[in-house]
């Protein structure tokens, strides 16, 4: 079977590579106002078969939360087919959102996550193109309320940060590793991942997703139809404290690696935290220096680094995708969760060690067919690295996780040939908002606009 790409939102299938994006959040005031907006959006929604060469001036995708489906008055009998974690508010305990990352502080306190009903992701080739499509969407949204979360009371805008492709705040290169999705039912190649881990409506015994259709239950069949060709998108608005991170590298780098020059020590510490040098070179392929011939490589594992001397066990990429790393019995169930990652940095670049109080960080979208089995499993691993018997400290954390997680250790172990080094991690990343969206199939968007699921 092949998927109907005209029914799947393009964001799921493609890395657009557009220089600027804007995420418009809306609260639906009443079903007719919401349906009017969807009527406008559905035909403009970029699907996965839209040609991207040459690139259109702008692209548009749409997500709806569970409370958004309720606000559209979708039949509760259909809604109960959605999984509990999608029906519930994002869970701070599972994601490790404590202290200033607590949901009470999200969206700069301007609204609650429950009020987020709909997102329009806009991508522009130029600021003018982005502004034009933004104005058109805002006009069509008349009668609904736009939620403006930034300190300045604006929509979240993200885009390219510098000249290095995929550059993020903290200076790392992103966008190298993605699951290689097999978009049809042909036999999987060793590195490929079945599309059922990302696309709803094709549940099997082995790879389940909800809503699920049961022959004896017509409501479940309607619910499955509503979900079909959609995906769940976890939208994470993350703040990165660049000044703190830079101060940490400067103070801890030379302590950890006294034999190196201060600059080299900082750079090596940055690489040890991520598992890649800041240019993208994987540490297990080149442990001593970045190498531009290797900086987009993704064909590696950790089997030859059993002591973590090349890549520390708790490095971000060794935790968020342990690849061939041994897993404990419980974690083996379902294996290593994979998510399609989309997103971009927001806010201006900061160099130096003094904070300027400006908002900056990462807008991350994590796409999956099960928030529970994929996204939550990953954040669980990030907040406590207790999924592999090979990991010496089961309380260690991913450097990008939250330090207030109960029973977690801030000590980050860096094994080397001449002994262990340890640095004490700080809270480099704060969560500023999280919402779970369904990126529905394009036909579903149209049907929602027509009130066919009420
Ligand atoms: C501000 C926070 C974050 C930053 C700065 C960040 C940065 C990065 C970077 C630089 C990479 C390596 C580039 C690549 O392999 O393509 C990466 C990979 C990855 N990140 Fe993050 N990340 C952040 C948060 C998260 C979160 C919250 C999750 C998941 C819940 C996550 C999941 C992943 C995954 C799955 C990979 C791919 C690892 C691999 O396949 O080797 N990241 N991240």
């Amino acid at each position: 079977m092949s998927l109907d790409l005209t029914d799947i939102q393009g964001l799921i299938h493609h890395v657009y590579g557009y220089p600027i994006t804007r995420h418009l959040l809306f609260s639906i005031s009443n079903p007719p106002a919401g349906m009017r907006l969807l009527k406008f959006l559905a035909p403009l929604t970029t699907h996965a078969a839209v040609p991207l060469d040459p690139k259109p001036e702008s692209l548009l995708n749409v997500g709806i939360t569970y409370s958004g489906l309720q606000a559209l008055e979708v039949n509760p009998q259909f809604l109960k087919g959605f999984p509990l974690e999608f029906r519930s508010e994002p869970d701070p305990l599972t994601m490790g959102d404590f202290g200033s990352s607590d949901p009470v502080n999200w969206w700069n306190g301007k609204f609650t996550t429950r009020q987020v009903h709909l997102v329009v992701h806009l991508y522009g080739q130029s600021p003018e193109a982005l502004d034009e499509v933004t104005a058109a969407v805002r006009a069509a949204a008349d009668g609904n309320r736009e939620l403006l979360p930034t300190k300045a009371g604006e929509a979240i805008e993200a885009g390219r940060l510098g000249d290095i492709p995929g550059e993020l705040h903290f200076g790392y290169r992103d966008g190298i590793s993605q699951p290689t999705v097999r978009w049809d039912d042909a036999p999987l190649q060793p590195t490929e991942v079945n599309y059922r881990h990302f696309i709803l409506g094709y549940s099997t015994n082995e790879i389940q997703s909800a809503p699920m259709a049961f022959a004896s239950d017509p409501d479940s069949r309607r619910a499955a139809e509503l979900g079909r060709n959609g995906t769940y998108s976890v939208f994470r608005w993350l703040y990165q404290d660049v000044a703190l991170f830079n101060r940490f590298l400067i103070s801890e780098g030379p302590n950890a690696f006294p034999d190196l020059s201060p600059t080299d020590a900082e750079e090596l510490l940055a690489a040890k935290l991520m598992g890649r040098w800041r240019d993208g070179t994987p540490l297990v392929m080149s442990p001593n220096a970045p190498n531009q011939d290797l900086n987009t490589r993704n064909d590696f594992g950790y089997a030859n680094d059993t002591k973590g001397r090349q890549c520390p066990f708790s490095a971000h990429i060794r935790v968020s995708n342990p690849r061939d790393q041994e897993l404990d019995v419980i974690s083996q169930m379902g294996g290593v969760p994979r998510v399609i990652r989309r997103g971009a940095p927001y806010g201006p670049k900061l160099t130096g060690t003094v904070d300027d109080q400006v908002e900056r960080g990462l807008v991350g979208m994590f796409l999956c067919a099960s928030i529970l089995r994929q996204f939550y499993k990953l954040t669980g691993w990030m907040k406590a690295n207790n999924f592999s018997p090979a990991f010496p400290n089961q309380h260690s954390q991913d450097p990008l996780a939250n330090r207030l997680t109960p029973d977690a250790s801030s000590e980050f172990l860096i094994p080397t040939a001449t002994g262990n080094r340890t640095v004490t991690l700080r809270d480099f990343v704060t969560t500023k908002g999280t919402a779970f969206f369904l990126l529905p199939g394009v036909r579903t968007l149209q049907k929602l606009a027509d009130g066919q699921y009420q």
Side-chain angles (χ1 to χ4, degrees):
M1 199 213 67
S2 288
L3 293 170
D4 176 3
L5 295 183
T6 64
D7 197 36
I8 291 176
Q9 297 208 38
L11 173 64
I12 306 165
H13 200 268
H14 303 294
V15 177
Y16 290 150
Y18 273 45
I20 29 175
T21 75
R22 194 173 277 148
H23 306 279
L24 306 183
L25 300 172
F26 293 100
S27 210
I28 294 169
S29 304
N30 52 62
M35 284 155 63
R36 266 199 315 278
L37 175 56
L38 285 179
K39 255 195 185 85
F40 172 82
L41 295 172
L44 296 180
T45 300
T46 307
H47 58 70
V50 167
L52 295 178
D53 186 17
K55 288 188 167 181
E57 277 302 299
S58 61
L59 303 176
L60 180 155
N61 288 109
V62 183
I64 308 178
T65 59
Y66 184 73
S67 53
L69 293 171
Q70 287 177 314
L72 288 165
E73 291 185 354
V74 169
N75 187 330
Q77 295 305 318
F78 307 157
L79 289 183
K80 69 177 195 217
F82 280 92
L84 183 62
E85 67 279 7
F86 178 67
R87 287 188 274 143
S88 314
E89 303 247 342
D91 178 18
L93 300 181
T94 313
M95 296 183 297
D97 285 332
F98 302 103
S100 43
S101 289
D102 188 288
V104 294
N105 301 315
W106 287 359
W107 316 112
N108 283 322
K110 299 194 176 202
F111 49 85
T112 65
T113 302
R114 269 256 163 246
Q115 290 174 286
V116 180
H117 293 160
L118 192 133
V119 65
V120 185
H121 304 294
L122 298 173
Y123 298 81
Q125 288 272 57
S126 63
E128 296 72 28
L130 194 64
D131 285 345
E132 196 180 319
V133 65
T134 302
V137 173
R138 284 183 171 149
D142 193 33
N144 298 286
R145 178 181 160 208
E146 185 173 354
L147 305 171
L148 299 163
T150 72
K151 281 187 193 161
E154 289 168 354
I156 300 169
E157 229 178 277
R160 269 180 210 151
L161 196 59
D163 300 334
I164 305 168
E167 183 177 345
L168 299 182
H169 295 292
F170 300 166
Y172 297 105
R173 176 182 187 148
D174 197 4
I176 307 166
S177 171
Q178 294 283 2
T180 310
V181 184
R182 177 96 228 167
W183 294 102
D184 57 29
D185 279 322
L188 288 182
Q189 299 301 310
T191 55
E192 288 177 337
V193 185
N194 190 306
Y195 64 86
R196 289 179 176 79
H197 289 292
F198 309 102
I199 303 292
L200 304 176
Y202 304 92
S203 194
T204 60
N205 281 343
E206 292 72 39
I207 310 172
Q208 299 194 346
S209 63
M212 210 186 264
F214 299 101
S216 58
D217 177 359
D219 286 341
S220 77
R221 293 205 302 274
R222 290 299 306 282
E225 177 197 297
L226 197 168
R228 183 161 305 123
N229 289 334
T231 194
Y232 296 114
S233 167
V234 176
F235 182 89
R236 289 278 272 174
W237 187 31
L238 300 168
Y239 169 74
Q240 292 177 252
D241 192 337
V242 174
L244 174 69
F245 187 76
N246 289 346
R247 289 198 301 274
F248 171 82
L249 293 183
I250 290 169
S251 67
E252 300 306 314
N255 279 342
F257 307 109
D259 301 341
L260 299 180
S261 73
T263 319
D264 287 351
E266 287 161 31
E267 222 36 62
L268 181 58
L269 177 56
K272 294 284 187 187
L273 298 176
M274 181 53 66
R276 290 184 186 270
W277 294 90
R278 289 206 270 201
D279 79 336
T281 307
L283 272 180
V284 289
M285 288 186 141
S286 178
N288 298 321
N291 177 339
Q292 57 181 11
D293 295 330
L294 301 173
N295 65 13
T296 54
R297 291 286 287 272
N298 204 21
D299 51 335
F300 58 88
Y302 301 104
N304 295 329
D305 186 30
T306 51
K307 296 200 161 77
R309 285 184 184 163
Q310 293 170 336
C311 177
F313 295 108
S314 295
H316 178 58
I317 66 162
R318 194 163 181 166
V319 171
S320 56
N321 181 6
R323 297 172 187 243
D324 54 0
Q325 180 73 58
E326 185 188 358
L327 299 180
D328 64 28
V329 178
I330 292 176
S331 306
Q332 271 169 29
M333 286 191 287
V336 172
R338 305 301 309 277
V339 289
I340 294 176
R341 291 181 304 128
R342 300 285 182 254
Y346 69 91
K349 199 166 178 161
L350 178 77
T351 48
T353 55
V354 181
D355 187 36
D356 56 4
Q357 300 292 308
V358 174
E359 294 179 296
R360 61 171 58 76
L362 178 71
V363 176
M365 290 180 271
F366 303 93
L367 313 186
C368 52
S370 167
I371 293 169
L372 180 70
R373 291 196 316 268
Q374 292 164 272
F375 177 75
Y376 272 166
K377 191 169 175 185
L378 277 186
T379 52
W381 286 4
M382 284 173 72
K383 67 181 191 151
N385 306 161
N386 54 7
F387 55 89
S388 166
F391 282 28
N393 179 352
Q394 302 282 308
H395 302 274
S396 299
Q397 288 191 293
D398 185 301
L400 304 175
N402 186 295
R403 307 279 88 87
L404 292 178
T405 299
D407 201 27
S409 161
S410 308
E411 302 305 298
F412 183 84
L413 178 72
I414 308 173
T416 76
T418 55
N420 287 342
R421 320 285 161 88
T422 305
V423 290
T424 304
L425 298 168
R426 306 284 307 275
D427 257 314
F428 305 119
V429 177
T430 306
T431 305
K432 287 175 69 72
T434 305
F436 294 163
F437 292 101
L438 171 72
L439 298 181
V442 179
R443 277 196 293 275
T444 291
L445 275 178
Q446 191 59 61
K447 286 184 181 171
L448 287 169
D450 295 341
Q452 287 191 32
Y453 289 113
Q454 285 173 337

